[in-house]
Amino acid sequence: MFAHYGSRLERKCVSPSTQRIEQVYEQVVSRNPGEHEFHQAVREVFDSLTRVLSRHPEYVEASILERICEPERQIIFRIPWIDDEGTVHINRGFRVQYNSALGPYKGGLRFHPSVLLGTVKFLGFEQIFKNALTGLPIGGGKGGSDFDPKGRSDAEIMRFCQSFMTEAYRHLGDRVDVPAGDIGVGRRAIGYLFGQYKRISNRYEAGVLTGKGITWGGSLVRTEATGYGTVYFTEHMLSTRGSSFDGAKVLVSGSGNVAIYAIEKVTELGGTVVGASDSGGSVYDPDGIDLELLREVKEVRRARISEYADQRPSAQYLDARQVWAVAEKTPVDVALPCATQNELDEHDAATLIASGVKAVAEGANMPTTPEAIRALRESGVLFGPGKAANAGGVATSALEMQQNAIRDSWSFEYTEQRLSEIMENIHTRCADTADEYGIPGDYVAGANIAGFTQVADAMIAQGVI
Ligand code: NAP
């Protein structure tokens, strides 16, 4: 599944900037063996930086590339907990505090059996630049555990979260490090984590976690923010070509937090979502996904998406990886990968291109493989990278921190308005930066360069630390 991105030094006529980038990349690979997703995330950012280093020799002199790839702190810990039958389990917990140049570390927690240190590092590395793009004062971090919440009772989830926080709390704080949710960590887990933090720190420090319940410090729109934000960003991309979601046919992968609210906003803007998925399967629904039924299956019953197909006469059930293959059955205008990393490969990109797709935007983190991104861009498809397209979630988390700091809570309308303005600004920033560097329409480079330069300038101003 994962490509290995080896040395490119053999390529001829390399500029000093390219040479430096390749040297640092080789160091990253050799210092972090086996962490392929992390290498992939670094490669993707580095590929945008040749022009930047040529214009800014001060970044090379201050060894910004080397410093930005090395997390400021990495914490790995044991999480013992007892299941409902009395069996003791041991999981592994991680928190990678990546970069605090712009503010306290900020980034979600992922609970999924696939989580390794390299997973957390790839997500934390991306988070640095994403958080910079929001224009809000937040640094980058990420965490999680290889714990699988699927099929666990509420009591088991609570005991696990309490054990996680019993170690993690000493590294967190509203001015230090502020986690949130991610895959497998929704409002229920955030509640248990917050409760344990409060208990052992003896402080009601609302701003230590985001994604909290609305009645105890959470922000309206946080639940919807990533999905809505992805759709806003895509709408801005489409508008550069005189197009919109109105009347568009859309594919969304996943059926979790990001996917559900992306589907909701697409539908609100006049689009029809004809496919969705989970880790077990996909559905093709030519009549448009019935969001109420999907939420009942996935959020209330916590069941498999196959149950959606069982109950919906217009829907057809397909294999897990086949959500993009829906584009073989019907023309698709927009694809929004909202499930997990590397879920849309070169083959899927070819299917989407043949179907006439106009835009692909990443609701998930790094869901599109580098080969697929290349194919989409070479075919003139608008491509919105996750760092920009899914930044609405963390941006609204930062709005939650603002509300906590001033002990206030804002209305849904006001908060959504702020989110929509932030997404418009991110789009403008990416587009303007791409123009400035002579690569108009390249949102990947625009996002990487805008995020990187902001963090690099702050790091230089703060000295060698
Ligand atoms: P979630 O609520 O746990 O939902 C994840 C969805 O993806 C579920 O439908 C899940 O299926 C599916 N999935 C997970 N692993 C998969 C796999 N290996 N193959 C196929 N499908 C898989 O998580 P989420 O919060 O929506 O996050 C989704 C993505 O968005 C992640 O990449 C996350 O890092 C990114 N993101 C999230 C936020 C946020 O605010 N939540 C912000 C920025 C980025 P099952 O139901 O079968 O588990």
Side-chain angles (χ1 to χ4, degrees), residues 231 234 238 244-245 247-253 262-263 266-267 270-276 285 288-289 323-324 326 330-336 359:
V231 174
T234 314
L238 289 168
S244 77
F245 272 107
K249 277 202 183 153
V250 182
L251 283 178
V252 174
S253 65
I263 295 172
V266 166
T267 312
T272 306
V273 177
V274 293
D285 190 343
I289 295 287
V323 67
W324 311 120
V326 168
T330 184
V332 165
D333 301 297
V334 179
L336 304 175

Side-chain angles (χ1 to χ4, degrees), residues 420-453:
S420 139
E421 285 163 10
I422 290 168
M423 295 316 295
E424 185 176 1
N425 288 342
I426 294 174
H427 177 268
T428 307
R429 235 177 123 185
C430 295
D432 288 355
T433 306
D435 286 349
E436 187 192 328
Y437 278 82
I439 31 180
D442 187 338
Y443 290 97
V444 173
N448 286 336
I449 296 171
F452 176 83
T453 52

Side-chain angles (χ1 to χ4, degrees), residues 29 40 44 53 75 102 119 130 135 155 176 254 269 281 284 287 306 310 316 318 331 364 415 439 456:
V29 172
Q40 184 182 338
E44 196 243 342
L53 296 195
I75 302 141
L102 301 182
T119 323
K130 180 188 308 190
V176 182
L269 295 179
Y284 167 42
D287 287 359
S306 54
D310 293 343
Q316 196 181 325
L318 309 166
T415 317
I439 31 180

Side-chain angles (χ1 to χ4, degrees), residues 160-182:
F160 174 80
C161 288
Q162 289 176 340
S163 186
F164 183 97
M165 189 52 92
T166 300
E167 171 57 32
Y169 90 98
R170 67 190 84 242
H171 309 289
L172 307 180
D174 61 2
R175 294 182 185 200
V176 182
D177 184 353
V178 183
D182 190 81

